[in-house]
Amino acid sequence: MSDELLLRSRAAEGPLLEVQDLHVHFAGRGRLFGPTPPPVKAVNGVSFTIDAQRTFGLVGESGSGKSTVARAILQLVDIHAGTIRLAGDDVTKVPRRDELAFRKRVQAVLQDPFSSLNQTHQTRTIVGDGITRHFGLKAGEQRDERVGRLLDDVGLSREYLDRYPYEMSGGQRQRVSIARALAVEPQLIIADEATSALDVSIQSQVINVLREIQRSSGVAFLFIAHDLEVVRHVSDDVGVMYLGSLVEQGDADGIYEGPTHPYTEMLIASIPVPNPTVQAGRRALRQSFDNDAEPPSPANLPPGCPFENRCPVAMDICREEVPAAVAAHHGGRVQCHLHTSGPELGGESVVEFITKEARTLT
Ligand SMILES: Nc1ncnc2c1ncn2[C@@H]1O[C@H](COP(=O)(O)OP(=O)(O)OP(=O)(O)O)[C@@H](O)[C@H]1O
Ligand code: SF4
Ligand SMILES: [Mg+2]
């Protein structure tokens, strides 16, 4: 069986990407001759899967570990524990000699294309280099033709073949980085805040390009962003990260319409909506959270739930035990003691429960 067929048959058997119980620690930086500080536990037991042709969106506030998950998949950081499989292959065990083949399978599109694109190269080289490296097609007319087709796919005309990064706008440069990622025909593209720096209208154009590309090429995406609305628009499935844990994950619409973790609810309650009644409800809900409490340091995590000091419905068990991931009603998973201990939710959603609790507290 050829490599390509073998890869496809393996992918058909299970998820394209399978991250299981991933832990990533960074050594703490101490003073010379001082005691060694504890490690920064940036990712703590994260598990999720992405099927071929699907988009998994990762959201969470700054420092929650989203980029560290991405960097672990891209093999840019050492992992402390866990496994990462791509079409069945453990990517943490890829020998150096197979690195080129791995780079072909997973590509990244990052926030700042200006720093990630070589300023001294025209688009034909920026996008064409990967074609030469992975398919052996040397610079010339044939390669330009292939680059031209990729430029069509990302909505840029062929005039851009001659352009240097500094001759393009932010949105155009981001389209070039998407074309560069696509050029090697990867199985997975990791887009880490790829559209965050763009103006809203340009952002939605670039997102439409990503959606169209997925439809036509079938590449899977791990889409990381702060903006919850953007993530919902792009993703089939969503994972919500808080302080190194994936506290909730599942079908995007299911989570947005019926969040089961108080932190997810807090994030959704901060999305402005035009309806004044709904907006007032969201504001009241937001106020029930301790909005001034600082999240704990990832170098000094609490023994229980990391969200405990901000959660309006925290219980004793929340201060003592890390909640395990359990099935959520939207079909995904949630890590919150409310679903296993404490008061019976009795058919109430977490939103209704928090709203009611908040009323009794005031
Ligand atoms: N190389 C490193 N050395 C030490 N600590 C690090 C390193 N990289 C990340 N961290 C820490 O790990 C935690 C997670 O960082 P990460 O960049 O993954 O978060 P993020 O969710 O991507 O945040 P943002 O939304 O701001 O991009 C943070 O506390 C960060 O300070
Ligand atoms: S485990 Fe407890 S503290 Fe954490 S989110 Fe759930 S209810 Fe709140
Ligand atoms: Mg990041």
Side-chain angles (χ1 to χ4, degrees), residues 261-263 305-308 311-315 318 323 335-338:
H261 194 284
Y263 175 61
C305 169
F307 191 57
E308 180 271 320
C311 180
V313 287
M315 305 167 282
C318 306
Q335 267 183 286
C336 168
H337 286 304
L338 271 182

Side-chain angles (χ1 to χ4, degrees), residues 17 54 69 74 112 177 179 256 267-268 276 352:
L17 179 78
R54 302 275 290 182
V69 169
L74 288 162
D112 180 11
S177 12
Y256 280 74
L267 290 180
I268 292 174
E352 287 164 334

Side-chain angles (χ1 to χ4, degrees), residues 12-54:
E13 284 164 17
L16 172 66
L17 179 78
E18 191 175 8
V19 175
Q20 215 166 30
D21 200 21
L22 177 68
H23 293 253
V24 182
H25 296 177
F26 295 109
R29 288 193 200 100
R31 296 213 189 105
L32 201 60
F33 307 122
T36 312
V40 174
K41 294 183 175 172
V43 177
N44 295 303
V46 162
S47 303
F48 64 97
T49 57
I50 308 181
D51 288 339
Q53 307 188 16
R54 302 275 290 182

Side-chain angles (χ1 to χ4, degrees), residues 66-68 192-193 224 226:
K66 305 179 298 295
S67 295
T68 306
D192 188 356
E193 306 283 0
I224 300 174
H226 280 90

Side-chain angles (χ1 to χ4, degrees), residues 138-325:
K138 297 243 159 60
E141 236 173 79
Q142 246 185 319
R143 194 180 80 171
D144 278 358
E145 175 52 33
R146 222 151 132 172
V147 174
R149 281 202 301 271
L150 288 160
L151 292 182
D152 291 341
D153 291 344
V154 297
L156 290 176
S157 71
R158 297 190 181 206
E159 282 167 32
Y160 285 82
L161 275 169
D162 299 325
R163 301 265 177 103
Y164 291 90
Y166 59 82
E167 293 177 312
M168 293 184 271
S169 69
Q172 290 159 349
R173 282 196 291 269
Q174 202 53 295
R175 287 169 195 253
V176 169
S177 12
I178 297 167
R180 179 179 61 172
L182 282 174
V184 306
E185 298 172 12
Q187 293 171 296
L188 173 69
I189 293 181
I190 298 182
D192 188 356
E193 306 283 0
T195 60
S196 309
L198 305 174
D199 292 343
V200 177
S201 65
I202 309 289
Q203 191 177 47
S204 58
Q205 289 169 14
V206 173
I207 283 167
N208 287 339
V209 165
L210 292 176
R211 283 162 62 101
E212 182 51 37
I213 283 166
Q214 183 175 55
R215 211 187 48 73
S216 56
S217 73
V219 64
F221 278 98
L222 173 59
F223 186 89
I224 300 174
H226 280 90
D227 189 320
L228 270 79
E229 285 293 86
V230 168
V231 170
R232 180 179 189 174
H233 185 59
V234 174
S235 311
D236 302 297
D237 301 295
V238 167
V240 181
M241 279 198 80
Y242 185 75
L243 216 67
S245 295
L246 201 51
V247 295
E248 179 161 13
Q249 60 177 305
D251 170 74
D253 289 335
I255 286 189
Y256 280 74
E257 277 154 29
T260 59
H261 194 284
Y263 175 61
T264 315
E265 181 45 40
M266 187 180 102
L267 290 180
I268 292 174
S270 50
I271 304 173
V273 279
N275 182 322
T277 316
V278 178
Q279 181 65 7
R282 287 191 169 190
R283 195 178 316 114
L285 189 64
R286 235 176 24 241
Q287 280 164 0
S288 64
F289 289 85
D290 188 343
N291 293 300
D292 297 328
E294 285 285 318
S297 156
N300 186 19
L301 289 172
C305 169
F307 191 57
E308 180 271 320
N309 70 332
R310 298 166 80 182
C311 180
V313 287
M315 305 167 282
D316 287 345
I317 191 174
C318 306
R319 287 176 265 282
E320 290 150 16
E321 280 178 34
V322 177

